[in-house]
Amino acid sequence: MRAVLMAGGSGTRLRPLTCDLPKPMVPILNRPIAEHITNLLKRHQITEVIATLHYLPDVIRDYFQDGSDFGVQMTYAVEEDQPLGTAGCVKNIAEFLDETFLVISGDSVTDFDLTAAIEFHKRKQAKATLVLTRVPNPIEFGVVITDEDYRIRRFLEKPSTSEIFSDTVNTGIYILEPSILDYLPANQESDFSKDLFPLLLEKGEPMYGYIAQGYWCDVGHLDAYRESQYDGLFGKVKLDFAYTETKPGIWQGQNTFIDPSVEICPPVLIGSNCRIGPRVRIDPGTVIGDNVTIGADADLKRPIIWNGAIVGEDAELRACVIGRGTRVDRRAQVLEGAVVGSLSTVGEEAQISPNVRVWPSKQIESGAILNINLIWGHTAQRNLFGQRGVTGLANIDITPEFAVKLGAAYGSTLKPGSQVMMSRDQRSISRMVTRSLIAGLMSVGVNIQNLDATAIPMSRTVVPTLKVAGGIHVRLHPDRPDYLLIEFIDSKGVNISKALEKKIEGSYFKEDLRRVQIHEIGNVVYPIQMIDTYCNAFEKNLNVEAIRHSNSKVVIDYTYAVSGAVLPQLLAKFGCDAVVLNASMKQTAVSSVEKEALLQQLGHVVEALRATFGVQVSANGEQLILVDKLGAPIRGEMLTALMVNMILTAHPRGTVVVPIQASSAVEQIARRHDGKVIRTKASPTALMEASLPEVNPNVVLAGSGDMGFIFPQLHPGFDAMFCIAKVIEMLTVQERSLASIRDDDLPQVCHRSYTVRCPWTVKGALMRYLVETHKEDSLELVDGVKIRFEDDSWVLILPDAGEPVVHLFANSNDRNWVDELLREYRTRVQSFIEEQQGVEAYSNSPQQSIVS
């Protein structure tokens, strides 16, 4: 059998280690990853290897040559012009693959039993077998679900946190029959997971998943790179060591001198031709390359030191990576997670702070404290985007420096000369961050249409009229008053896709930022008549005559945010009386306790003025809570049901879009009006995308009481201001009050929720457990795991996208059933989490100390 070794990766998330080195050649225990893969193939009698190359191909060819020194026959296929993708490069060598063959990634560390996987493939008579494994946190991988016979039924490539429905993932190891290559186009970029496997699933080809036992680590980022080294040393993965084990847990190369006073705590690996001075302490997990010199009294706490490095006296290295030929001078400190690229110098008593990256051939001056990457900007985070945009602590995570780089990263994904809309709320912190984003965008040649302080519904409305490539809105986070939220929207006004988020993240993490010449720097203009554009669209989509004859009096509480102060003017134009409360601006967000006090105050004012209703507006004009004429608030699931009831009364047979966790009252109301309900993932972007006219043309309302409401005919975003006017219109035409609709028309549905703490590493396993322990026909996997019962009853277990928790929702017409099921599933979930944490704790092993 032949193997195809995918060795074309550039390792962009391992920079600065891979600037001059292909990712498969990055050393693990002083041997390239690709050599460990070759050794694995050889152990399973696979000795014919075809390596597909793209990035720095000569480095790999020069190392392996014909493969004879490594016990294999190695040939090469180079993608000369452009990368062809994981499947495209295999299609490129189809003439050499005339029998069952194995595809394996050159940038993962594993000891899977490939022989057993191949036997499984043949026994199942599969056309394609994906080697799968179970991981604690599957968000970075392709998630796969198989049936009882291990036939693949569903998979999702790199899910968001809330989309995880299993912890069984694709490892990038495939056993394939040559005939499947016929499905691939020649000389075109294509991918196994995104293109070929979905097509095979659609065509009904026999495609199976072999769930492998053993170790697997995708060395996709720096944390994984370090962990794979430690796992190799601690024996969690079977790897061939390059050196002799001179003492238990100590592997040492030839011609290495270690002073007798050195204290070594195994496991430790030390290469050949090294010199280690007096009183050095080497902690468990340390990996030292060949030709390395360590000065007296140095303290090595699990660093990974590449060949030829020099570490000075009293230097301290903590769980960091020191590149080839780098010098760390006397008393310098390189702290946890930091990476120093090859041929760099860290001066005496200098300090490199945790997680800072230094590119190759750089010099850090003596005594310097380096808190940022030496190239430009702050340390990269693993993920920039959460469930809705980029969030972080104001002026701590989201700083001017961060915003400049983020703006440049976004702009670098656009063509030079593109236009981008900018808007923000009225707070000073938002103004500061917006100006920094603008600076970053301008630096890469992007022009700005700056709306300044504008409610986000107005921004979404005017974006299509500005002919921009997209937009950014900056505001305080609606749910976390000390956080900022930066939302990116496309040319239609919808939040950008996951694919574009990943593209921006790639530009940010790789620091692949375009720089333009002086005459190409972007410009800033300030569009005029934006309020008129919004007001015209607003008026066009209302029954203005109905509102004129309503004689409504509405009390609006702006909660000190001044979000959309244009509304009272519009209502006055239509003959409505609008009483405004708390419209002055506060630089800090109103806390939840203060907001409840203001809501109570609003109820008293509505009752005293005998107003038609009251409304509290929040989230920069997106969200609202209604208050009836008696001062009682209407919010959450009741508000969702009330809005659906009014809109479907006005538009029978219409379609409403709600998140997966909304109560079944929505379906019960829709059935009365011959309407349709679409449920989406529990994210604002999913609701926006599903309500677009070109996607679902009959949608008349989308959203929920917690997120806000979308009226697609106006714009694709949440809009509390338009919702208020629409409520006035519908109450007038239907000759109803909020209280009468709530008391007479809404179904009596019990809908309750409970939140359980759940570590990130357990979420995937929990979802798999729930899928495996329920019948397939009772499951709904739109988002999380929803178990359906009779009569619109269900339980939903939904992982939170931003916190280490899962949310449990129970829904039924029977209150006792809800209480019982919520209690049952809470117990099941908590027991499973405790069991998984117990397994993790048991796997930790003790350490011993040996003095050399």
Side-chain angles (χ1 to χ4, degrees):
M1 175 181 275
R2 290 188 177 94
V4 179
L5 176 62
M6 312 287 288
S10 61
T12 51
R13 295 187 70 181
L14 284 177
R15 289 183 178 175
L17 299 178
T18 56
C19 291
D20 57 354
L21 198 65
K23 187 176 174 183
M25 295 303 292
V26 169
I28 299 286
L29 303 183
N30 293 355
R31 278 183 166 172
I33 299 174
E35 185 177 344
H36 289 296
I37 293 296
T38 302
N39 289 338
L40 174 68
L41 294 172
K42 191 170 58 176
R43 283 203 298 271
H44 292 277
Q45 286 74 53
I46 302 173
T47 56
E48 291 186 55
V49 181
I50 305 171
T52 62
L53 312 177
H54 177 68
Y55 179 70
L56 300 175
D58 289 341
V59 176
I60 295 178
R61 281 191 295 208
D62 291 346
Y63 186 85
F64 286 100
Q65 297 186 20
D66 65 359
S68 56
D69 291 344
F70 302 90
V72 297
Q73 177 187 329
M74 185 81 77
T75 54
Y76 304 94
V78 181
E79 302 167 55
E80 298 285 0
D81 300 324
Q82 63 177 12
L84 295 172
T86 57
C89 67
V90 175
K91 173 70 172 180
N92 200 35
I93 56 171
E95 60 186 297
F96 302 108
L97 304 172
D98 53 2
E99 60 180 3
T100 305
F101 63 95
L102 181 139
V103 175
I104 189 166
S105 171
D107 53 14
S108 59
V109 176
T110 182
D111 57 8
F112 286 161
D113 186 344
L114 301 180
T115 301
I118 294 166
E119 289 174 354
F120 172 92
H121 173 84
K122 293 178 177 177
R123 187 169 66 253
K124 294 293 185 180
Q125 296 183 331
K127 287 291 183 70
T129 296
L130 283 65
V131 178
L132 312 176
T133 192
R134 288 172 178 153
V135 298
N137 185 8
I139 192 170
E140 293 290 333
F141 312 108
V143 173
V144 181
I145 280 187
T146 61
D147 61 18
E148 293 178 354
D149 195 39
Y150 299 102
R151 187 157 182 162
I152 292 174
R153 294 301 181 193
R154 186 178 181 194
F155 53 84
L156 179 66
E157 183 68 11
K158 295 188 178 178
S160 64
T161 310
S162 64
E163 293 174 320
I164 296 169
F165 52 74
S166 175
D167 62 348
T168 306
V169 302
N170 178 7
T171 66
I173 303 173
Y174 314 126
I175 304 159
L176 307 173
E177 295 300 320
S179 60
I180 66 144
L181 299 180
D182 295 338
Y183 285 104
L184 293 171
N187 300 315
Q188 289 186 27
E189 183 174 354
S190 56
D191 184 87
F192 281 118
S193 297
K194 295 178 183 175
D195 302 314
L196 180 60
F197 294 151
L199 182 59
L200 295 179
L201 204 59
E202 181 184 330
K203 297 291 185 182
E205 292 282 16
M207 183 165 55
Y208 287 82
Y210 173 76
I211 301 176
Q213 303 298 316
Y215 180 92
W216 176 79
C217 177
D218 174 30
V219 188
H221 50 81
L222 293 166
D223 289 343
Y225 174 66
R226 290 193 305 274
E227 287 302 320
S228 62
Q229 304 261 4
Y230 304 146
D231 291 344
L233 277 179
F234 282 94
K236 294 183 180 180
V237 53
K238 181 182 178 183
L239 297 177
D240 295 331
F241 284 72
Y243 313 109
T244 303
E245 188 173 11
T246 57
K247 294 180 181 178
I250 299 176
W251 291 267
Q252 182 179 318
Q254 297 179 351
N255 196 30
T256 284
F257 172 79
I258 301 175
D259 189 90
S261 62
V262 172
E263 184 177 355
I264 302 177
C265 300
V268 165
L269 184 140
I270 303 170
S272 300
N273 304 310
C274 295
R275 298 292 180 266
I276 301 179
R279 299 175 301 281
V280 171
R281 176 175 174 83
I282 305 176
D283 279 7
T286 299
V287 176
I288 300 172
D290 297 332
N291 306 303
V292 172
T293 300
I294 311 289
D297 298 298
D299 191 1
L300 309 183
K301 292 182 170 67
R302 299 194 305 154
I304 297 160
I305 305 172
W306 286 18
N307 295 349
I310 299 172
V311 179
E313 298 176 0
D314 286 305
E316 184 175 349
L317 307 181
R318 297 183 187 172
C320 56
V321 181
I322 305 298
R324 172 180 52 85
T326 288
R327 193 177 84 227
V328 180
D329 286 343
R330 187 172 67 93
R331 293 185 180 173
Q333 293 181 313
V334 185
L335 303 181
E336 291 88 347
V339 177
V340 184
S342 298
L343 305 176
S344 295
T345 299
V346 182
E348 288 190 11
E349 300 187 7
Q351 176 182 301
I352 300 180
S353 297
N355 300 312
V356 167
R357 293 180 291 170
V358 177
W359 254 242
S361 304
K362 304 301 174 187
Q363 184 166 355
I364 293 94
E365 295 181 357
S366 298
I369 298 177
L370 190 65
N371 293 317
I372 62 174
N373 295 345
L374 189 53
I375 294 296
W376 186 65
H378 271 302
T379 303
Q381 304 166 34
R382 180 174 295 185
N383 290 309
L384 288 178
F385 287 86
Q387 190 174 37
R388 54 186 306 177
V390 177
T391 63
L393 283 165
N395 215 26
I396 295 175
D397 297 323
I398 309 293
T399 61
E401 303 95 315
F402 171 85
V404 168
K405 183 178 173 184
L406 179 61
Y410 174 43
S412 295
T413 68
L414 306 174
K415 295 178 180 178
S418 296
Q419 302 275 339
V420 166
M421 182 276 305
M422 292 291 310
S423 62
R424 58 176 175 83
D425 68 16
Q426 296 87 351
R427 294 179 171 85
S428 295
I429 180 69
S430 301
R431 181 190 299 116
M432 177 189 78
V433 169
T434 299
R435 288 176 175 174
S436 300
L437 284 163
I438 289 172
L441 286 161
M442 292 174 65
S443 74
V444 297
V446 172
N447 300 307
I448 312 300
Q449 302 259 6
N450 191 356
L451 305 188
D452 271 336
T454 308
I456 190 169
M458 297 175 68
S459 300
R460 294 189 192 275
T461 303
V462 303
V463 156
T465 70
L466 296 175
K467 297 180 180 178
V468 294
I472 305 176
H473 186 83
V474 181
R475 55 173 162 154
L476 283 190
H477 197 289
D479 306 319
R480 308 186 72 170
D482 53 346
Y483 272 58
L484 271 183
L485 170 60
I486 304 174
E487 286 185 279
F488 291 74
I489 59 180
D490 66 16
S491 58
K492 298 176 182 176
V494 179
N495 285 15
I496 62 172
S497 65
K498 289 291 180 186
L500 185 50
E501 287 180 357
K502 295 291 185 186
K503 197 172 180 181
I504 296 170
E505 284 183 347
S507 178
Y508 181 94
F509 288 127
K510 291 184 289 186
E511 307 206 6
D512 187 10
L513 309 172
R514 183 172 64 229
R515 283 288 177 264
V516 298
Q517 299 180 30
I518 292 176
H519 68 277
E520 297 174 309
I521 296 292
N523 294 316
V524 181
V525 298
Y526 296 85
I528 58 175
Q529 298 181 327
M530 291 299 102
I531 292 179
D532 291 342
T533 301
Y534 177 72
C535 292
N536 291 338
F538 193 103
E539 189 171 348
K540 180 182 176 182
N541 289 285
L542 286 173
N543 184 341
V544 175
E545 289 304 312
I547 297 177
R548 286 190 201 282
H549 294 92
S550 69
N551 296 317
S552 296
K553 178 184 287 186
V554 180
V555 184
I556 305 172
D557 175 15
Y558 280 125
T559 60
Y560 300 108
V562 201
S563 50
V566 67
L567 180 61
Q569 302 169 27
L570 279 168
L571 294 180
K573 181 180 177 181
F574 305 149
C576 294
D577 185 7
V579 178
V580 176
L581 305 178
N582 308 317
S584 61
M585 184 179 65
K586 286 177 67 174
Q587 286 300 325
T588 56
V590 177
S591 69
S592 58
V593 174
E594 291 173 311
K595 197 174 287 185
E596 285 299 315
L598 293 175
L599 186 62
Q600 191 173 17
Q601 176 197 67
L602 173 63
H604 294 320
V605 173
V606 170
E607 195 174 8
L609 295 179
R610 298 183 179 179
T612 309
F613 65 88
V615 59
Q616 185 180 77
V617 180
S618 59
N620 200 224
E622 283 192 331
Q623 297 172 8
L624 77 164
I625 297 173
L626 296 177
V627 173
D628 69 17
K629 61 185 179 182
L630 298 178
I634 301 173
R635 54 182 159 186
E637 294 303 319
M638 184 181 293
L639 179 56
T640 305
L642 183 138
M643 289 299 301
V644 169
N645 187 81
M646 286 196 292
I647 202 77
L648 289 181
T649 300
H651 300 277
R653 294 180 296 281
T655 299
V656 293
V657 180
V658 294
I660 186 69
Q661 73 272 28
S663 83
S664 64
V666 175
E667 278 83 5
Q668 295 182 35
I669 294 168
R671 284 195 286 268
R672 293 178 195 164
H673 300 278
D674 199 20
K676 179 183 177 183
V677 178
I678 297 174
R679 287 185 177 259
T680 72
K681 297 170 186 172
S683 79
T685 303
L687 286 162
M688 292 179 201
E689 291 174 344
S691 61
L692 286 171
E694 58 267 33
V695 177
N696 291 301
N698 295 322
V699 174
V700 291
L701 181 75
S704 70
D706 294 328
M707 293 188 192
F709 296 98
I710 297 170
F711 297 84
Q713 67 271 26
L714 177 64
H715 64 80
F718 305 98
D719 193 332
M721 298 177 289
F722 186 78
C723 187
I724 295 166
K726 199 70 178 174
V727 167
I728 295 172
E729 173 200 305
M730 292 188 292
L731 290 178
T732 303
V733 171
Q734 296 169 26
E735 298 181 342
R736 304 295 301 275
S737 68
L738 293 180
S740 66
I741 295 173
R742 179 195 58 203
D743 297 338
D744 301 336
D745 291 2
L746 301 188
Q748 298 299 307
V749 175
C750 184
H751 181 276
R752 291 185 177 168
S753 63
Y754 188 84
T755 299
V756 179
R757 299 290 297 179
C758 178
W760 293 103
T761 54
V762 177
K763 284 184 178 180
L766 173 62
M767 295 299 105
R768 173 173 58 83
Y769 160 73
L770 292 166
V771 169
E772 291 178 348
T773 53
H774 291 86
K775 293 181 179 178
E776 186 175 351
D777 58 3
S778 71
L779 295 176
E780 190 175 331
L781 301 176
V782 172
D783 204 2
V785 176
K786 193 174 195 177
I787 302 105
R788 297 187 301 267
F789 300 88
E790 294 179 353
D791 302 324
D792 289 327
S793 299
W794 48 259
V795 174
L796 170 68
I797 299 87
L798 182 67
D800 192 276
E803 300 289 335
V805 299
V806 293
H807 304 288
L808 278 62
F809 300 88
N811 177 97
S812 177
N813 296 331
D814 185 338
R815 184 180 301 273
N816 293 331
W817 186 93
V818 167
D819 291 341
E820 182 181 340
L821 260 289
L822 196 59
R823 187 162 47 247
E824 175 189 334
Y825 276 86
R826 184 177 71 190
T827 302
R828 289 178 68 170
V829 168
Q830 288 175 329
S831 298
F832 183 84
I833 292 169
E834 289 168 4
E835 178 184 333
Q836 291 296 305
Q837 289 179 304
V839 169
E840 288 181 10
Y842 181 76
S843 67
N844 293 331
S845 56
Q847 300 169 353
Q848 60 176 324
S849 177
I850 295 177
V851 178
S852 174

